[in-house]
Amino acid sequence: MEFNLTAFIFNPFVLIFLVMTLGNLFGRIKFGKFNFGITGTLFVGLFVGYLLTKYGVTFAETSSYYARAQSVIRGKVIGRPILFFSLLIFIIATGLLAAKDMRYAIRKFGRQFVMLAILVPFIGAVSSYGLSKLFAGVSPYQITGTYTGALTSSAGLAAAIESSELESKRLTVEYPNLKEESRTKILAIINKANIRDAELQHKEIPETLTIDNTKAIDQKDAETFILEAKAGVGVGHSIGYPFGVLFLILGVNFIPKLFGFSPEEEKKKYFAQKKKDLEEAGVEENQVPEVKMDFVAFSLAGFLGYFLGSIKFHIGPLGTLGLGSIGGSIIVSLILGSIGKIGPINFRMNSDILGKMRTYFLAIFLAGTGVNYGYRVVQAISGDGISIVVVSILVAIISILIAFLVGHYIFHINWMLLSGAITGGMTSAPGLGAAIDAVGCDEPAIAYGATQPLATLFMVIFSIIIHKLPI
């Protein structure tokens, strides 16, 4: 009998099931009255990912596992298709579960949801740019990536990478006419890249560029700067993303404790007010009988959601924008679930079955995300990335707190919906899962579906605007 331990350890399915087992056990542990619940898989995943990367660096180039070890070191442990599929299943199940209450929530808080969808990305952009001025050693492009990462926006990341290339090209051309502060930052980015590349290739470090000896940027240095700009966005996003998710999860769990209100009392008030409003309006709730499971309906919701998310809309000089598969799927699932039934296809499925599917597939996504980012998180905290870590944490906290204060004290939105609106404003599907787990009902998904598409649009717009501001 043979057993290949190395192949077993590197197997992504083994890692997923191990982290889900340990993570769910950890999530059950009570810390006073609090427990991490399903998000325990994320924290255990981070720990396992760190240990796995430390193991991966021990393989020599001659090893047959060297290529796999290098993938682990680059954070490509759990493949994107696995994570993406699990997130889609979670979103579709969530949308179908929450859909029956959608019309009431939109009628009552539609305008407020729109305002929060604009407010959260705006606060994130302002705080990101403001904090970038406090950390002189951090690339402004890394800060933009941190903005999209802290607010967990893939659409914002794509727009930031594209605009970073365009704006960095413009800056290299206009270099002689820029302010001294901007020229200093440009040269600092080029110098840092030149030193890193020289050391990596064991070559002599080139002459340091200064304002005095650099009147214009030559083609080689321009190419270096443009490449570093795009890479900086990616680095900032990859470091900021896990911290954005972490602090959003902590936020939806601890905000009630910090501000002295009970989620259970909020839930009772929400459903009591809803019943009263519907009775006064003479409106009956949309009662469509549930079936245990309709795989045709579930699959159709996924297909149509992916189709909607693939459509690109032209928004003038800002280029094109799509909802993405997550945005498309939550909207389609909410609409189809609200309709309830089309001919023989029933979109109202058993809540327990959908709820278990949603929880299990969210656990897969959180576990995989943790494993992929584990080493980067630890390295960022203990190494040169600490400035980006601080910025991402502050951006996440500021965005969450201001959104809560405005939503709770000015708009008077019940926490059942406000928690979802905050996660939608940050376009964070993992955050939505944490909100649903924290409040114990599906209402956050309604507000998420109402805010996420518009928030995605403004995340893209603000990502582009940040690059047009002075660096």
Side-chain angles (χ1 to χ4, degrees):
M1 184 177 73
E2 292 184 1
F3 178 72
N4 191 322
L5 179 62
T6 302
F8 184 77
I9 291 173
F10 279 151
N11 189 296
F13 296 104
V14 170
L15 293 167
I16 283 285
F17 289 124
L18 173 66
V19 171
M20 288 175 65
T21 301
L22 298 178
N24 280 294
L25 288 173
F26 173 69
R28 294 178 184 179
I29 299 173
K30 291 283 187 180
F31 299 91
K33 295 183 178 180
F34 171 76
N35 69 298
F36 284 98
I38 194 67
T39 56
T41 56
L42 175 64
F43 291 90
V44 171
L46 291 170
F47 178 69
V48 170
Y50 174 76
L51 295 180
L52 190 68
T53 304
K54 296 291 285 184
Y55 176 60
V57 298
T58 64
F59 287 85
E61 290 188 38
T62 54
S63 170
S64 58
Y65 292 100
Y66 180 74
R68 178 58 182 153
Q70 289 301 301
S71 294
V72 168
I73 293 168
R74 290 194 297 269
K76 297 179 179 180
V77 187
I78 310 300
R80 188 174 182 272
I82 296 175
L83 298 181
F84 202 62
F85 179 74
S86 62
L87 192 58
L88 277 173
I89 297 296
F90 160 72
I91 281 292
I92 295 165
T94 297
L96 293 174
L97 273 169
K100 60 184 178 181
D101 296 322
M102 182 180 72
R103 294 177 184 175
Y104 165 74
I106 297 298
R107 279 198 304 265
K108 191 171 181 66
F109 293 112
R111 292 181 181 177
Q112 292 91 325
F113 290 155
V114 169
M115 293 178 190
L116 286 174
I118 300 171
L119 177 68
V120 176
F122 174 74
I123 293 299
V126 171
S127 54
S128 296
Y129 184 73
L131 289 167
S132 72
K133 297 300 182 181
L134 299 179
F135 294 90
V138 180
S139 162
Y141 298 100
Q142 290 179 344
I143 292 295
T144 310
T146 303
Y147 164 58
T148 64
L151 271 64
T152 67
S153 173
S154 298
L157 170 64
I161 290 175
E162 183 179 14
S163 63
S164 69
E165 181 174 9
L166 296 174
E167 289 304 309
S168 58
K169 285 181 180 178
R170 179 185 66 81
L171 289 174
T172 58
V173 173
E174 298 178 2
Y175 172 84
N177 301 319
L178 297 176
K179 292 181 179 179
E180 183 175 324
E181 180 185 0
S182 297
R183 284 183 287 159
T184 301
K185 287 189 176 182
I186 291 171
L187 297 181
I189 292 171
I190 296 172
N191 286 327
K192 187 174 181 180
N194 288 340
I195 293 171
R196 181 200 62 214
D197 293 344
E199 291 177 345
L200 184 64
Q201 299 172 46
H202 304 291
K203 294 181 179 180
E204 183 180 351
I205 296 175
E207 180 185 4
T208 300
L209 302 180
T210 66
I211 292 177
D212 293 330
N213 66 16
T214 310
K215 303 304 179 184
I217 304 293
D218 61 30
Q219 184 177 349
K220 179 179 177 297
D221 289 333
E223 290 175 356
T224 299
F225 179 66
I226 293 166
L227 181 62
E228 289 300 306
K230 292 191 292 182
V233 173
V235 169
H237 184 90
S238 65
I239 295 176
Y241 178 84
F243 289 99
V245 173
L246 284 173
F247 276 83
L248 183 54
I249 288 172
L250 293 173
V252 296
N253 280 282
F254 284 106
I255 279 177
K257 295 176 175 62
L258 291 174
F259 289 90
F261 64 89
S262 166
E264 284 301 316
E265 289 300 316
E266 286 285 291
K267 187 190 297 186
K268 290 177 184 177
K269 285 195 292 184
Y270 171 78
F271 286 110
Q273 186 64 48
K274 176 188 170 186
K275 182 179 179 181
K276 179 183 176 183
D277 290 343
L278 291 176
E279 287 175 352
E280 289 179 353
V283 178
E284 293 186 6
E285 293 192 58
N286 187 2
Q287 297 294 338
V288 175
E290 288 185 354
V291 296
K292 280 191 174 180
M293 189 66 194
D294 190 325
F295 290 110
V296 173
F298 195 95
S299 301
L300 181 61
F303 171 78
L304 293 177
Y306 207 97
F307 173 75
L308 177 61
S310 300
I311 298 173
K312 301 294 183 183
F313 301 94
H314 290 277
I315 50 177
L318 298 179
T320 60
L321 173 71
L323 293 172
S325 56
I326 301 302
S329 294
I330 189 71
I331 291 174
V332 167
S333 298
L334 285 169
I335 292 173
L336 293 178
S338 179
I339 294 170
K341 189 175 182 181
I342 301 176
I345 304 175
N346 197 321
F347 295 97
R348 289 285 174 84
M349 293 164 239
N350 183 274
S351 298
D352 289 336
I353 294 175
L354 286 179
K356 297 296 183 186
M357 285 180 63
R358 178 187 66 194
T359 302
Y360 191 78
F361 281 95
L362 177 62
I364 293 175
F365 176 79
L366 292 175
T369 299
V371 172
N372 283 350
Y373 283 103
Y375 185 75
R376 292 183 185 186
V377 170
V378 176
Q379 189 182 47
I381 293 174
S382 59
D384 293 338
I386 188 64
S387 297
I388 300 177
V389 171
V390 172
V391 171
S392 62
I393 290 173
L394 290 175
V395 169
I397 290 175
I398 292 169
S399 301
I400 294 166
L401 280 180
I402 291 181
F404 168 76
L405 294 172
V406 172
H408 187 73
Y409 293 106
I410 297 177
F411 294 158
H412 305 292
I413 302 175
N414 186 282
W415 181 239
M416 299 301 103
L417 294 175
L418 181 55
S419 58
I422 293 172
T423 63
M426 294 180 70
T427 68
S428 176
L432 171 61
I436 290 171
D437 192 48
V439 303
C441 68
D442 301 306
E443 307 308 300
I446 301 169
Y448 180 94
T451 53
Q452 190 267 0
L454 188 60
T456 299
L457 169 62
F458 278 92
M459 200 84 70
V460 169
I461 292 172
F462 292 137
S463 296
I464 295 171
I465 290 174
I466 287 176
H467 281 152
K468 294 186 178 295
L469 298 174
I471 66 172

